[in-house]
Amino acid sequence: MLAALKFGTSAVRRFAIGAACLLPLVSASYAATTTSTFTVQVAITASCTINSASTLNFGSQGVLTANVDQTSTLQVQCTNTTPYNIGLDAGAGAGATVAVRKMTSGGNTINYSLYSDSGRTTVWGNTVSTDTVAATGNGAAQSYTVYGRVPAQTTPAPGTYTDTITVTVTY
């Protein structure tokens, strides 16, 4: 009788251990869940940036007896639907205006002009709504051609003549 009781206890013990092993599986099928949400946002403000401004190089010239025309490119990027104006100042040459800019080498100068059209009839200046280039941003970079001209003039002494133009985007 003792042996039977011992066998019975062992069987009960095995059954209890097996049932205990199955409890996590039973519990998992009745697991509760909860959900929530959160907001993701960004505020876009009107903004513009000048991505690039290439050098306007009139090359090597001898006597300035005819117009010398060249172009350069500006690339501006503004947020979509943002209106803006691109202005070019008179440059660093002493006595320069937006109509007649001046490249210098020492005390010598060469006159030149910058235009917003290929016919070189519309001077590109820096007075908003007067002589700037107006546009509306589309969110991508937009390119603008600067049309330069060195008109025929008395040729100064040989040298490398330079000027620096400041580009301003008003938005």
Side-chain angles (χ1 to χ4, degrees), residues 12-27:
V12 169
R13 205 178 285 150
R14 278 187 252 159
F15 177 77
I17 291 171
C21 289
L22 292 174
L23 280 177
L25 298 176
V26 171
S27 301

Side-chain angles (χ1 to χ4, degrees), residues 27-107:
S27 301
S29 64
Y30 294 107
T33 61
T34 185
T35 61
S36 183
T37 61
F38 63 94
T39 302
V40 177
Q41 71 181 39
V42 63
I44 301 294
T45 58
S47 180
C48 291
T49 186
I50 301 167
N51 291 347
S52 64
S54 68
T55 299
L56 176 57
N57 187 343
F58 289 104
S60 294
Q61 304 299 320
V63 179
L64 299 173
T65 57
N67 291 338
V68 179
D69 293 341
Q70 287 297 330
T71 62
S72 69
T73 304
L74 304 174
Q75 200 172 65
V76 176
Q77 185 171 359
C78 293
T79 49
N80 193 22
T81 71
T82 300
Y84 62 94
N85 283 273
I86 305 168
L88 306 179
D89 77 349
T97 66
V98 294
V100 181
R101 293 170 165 98
K102 297 183 181 287
M103 290 182 277
T104 60
S105 177

Side-chain angles (χ1 to χ4, degrees), residues 85-152:
N85 283 273
I86 305 168
L88 306 179
D89 77 349
T97 66
V98 294
V100 181
R101 293 170 165 98
K102 297 183 181 287
M103 290 182 277
T104 60
S105 177
N108 298 314
T109 62
I110 294 178
N111 295 333
Y112 73 102
S113 296
L114 301 177
Y115 303 92
S116 58
D117 65 313
S118 60
R120 291 173 173 78
T121 58
T122 305
V123 172
W124 197 334
N126 62 353
T127 304
V128 174
S129 299
T130 301
D131 57 6
T132 58
V133 171
T136 300
N138 64 8
Q142 296 173 285
S143 294
Y144 299 90
T145 301
V146 178
Y147 300 90
R149 172 172 283 167
V150 172

